[in-house]
């Protein structure tokens, strides 16, 4: 019979469903995988993703709100958004990289 410690399982989960990390000078902002978020935040993120596809969507506002949902802290989200300065192209690139890093997690989350 296989036996694993909870620490081993946590390490495997972190390796598979880890964060997308963005370095800002001396600090790092962690954008958490959707599977690592509480259910309400996962639901809110799904709602935001649906709103982003609307023709009249305010892309900057919705992406900024999504960063606030997935960042490891409000302070980290504020730092990242301040550094981005409302540049929609940079926000889109952040989400592209975040999406690539969480594809497996999002598929699993939507099936739940």
């Amino acid at each position: 019979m296989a036996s694993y410690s909870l620490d081993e399982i946590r390490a495997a989960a972190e390796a598979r469903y880890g964060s997308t990390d963005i370095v800002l000078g001396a600090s790092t902002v962690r954008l958490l995988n959707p599977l690592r978020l509480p259910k309400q935040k996962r639901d809110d993120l799904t709602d935001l993703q649906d709103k982003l596809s609307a023709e009249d969507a305010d892309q900057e506002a919705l992406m900024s709100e999504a960063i606030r949902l997935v960042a490891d802290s409000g302070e980290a989200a504020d730092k990242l958004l301040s550094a981005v300065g409302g540049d929609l192209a940079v926000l889109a690139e952040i989400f592209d990289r975040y999406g690539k890093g969480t594809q497996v997690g999002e598929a699993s989350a939507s099936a739940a």
Side-chain angles (χ1 to χ4, degrees):
M1 179 186 333
S3 176
Y4 304 97
S5 73
L6 185 54
D7 287 341
E8 290 170 325
I9 292 170
R10 284 185 176 128
E14 182 61 30
R16 187 169 187 179
Y17 304 109
S19 61
T20 299
D21 297 347
I22 300 173
V23 177
L24 291 175
S27 64
T28 300
V29 176
R30 296 180 71 221
L31 303 179
L32 303 176
N33 184 295
L35 289 179
R36 307 306 293 270
L37 297 172
K39 182 176 181 354
Q40 184 59 54
K41 284 191 173 189
R42 285 194 310 269
D43 292 345
D44 292 346
L45 183 59
T46 299
D47 291 343
L48 284 173
Q49 289 171 322
D50 291 342
K51 290 176 184 177
L52 275 167
S53 62
E55 189 173 313
D56 60 345
D58 182 341
Q59 302 285 316
E60 180 185 346
L62 291 170
M63 286 186 201
S64 295
E65 190 174 342
I67 285 175
R68 290 185 194 291
L69 277 175
V70 302
D72 58 344
S73 73
E75 181 182 334
D78 290 343
K79 284 181 182 180
L80 178 58
L81 292 170
S82 177
V84 168
D87 186 330
L88 191 54
V90 173
L91 284 170
E93 185 64 24
I94 289 170
F95 274 93
D96 183 57
R97 291 175 189 224
Y98 176 75
K100 287 177 184 173
T102 63
Q103 284 177 342
V104 173
E106 286 182 349
S108 296
S110 65

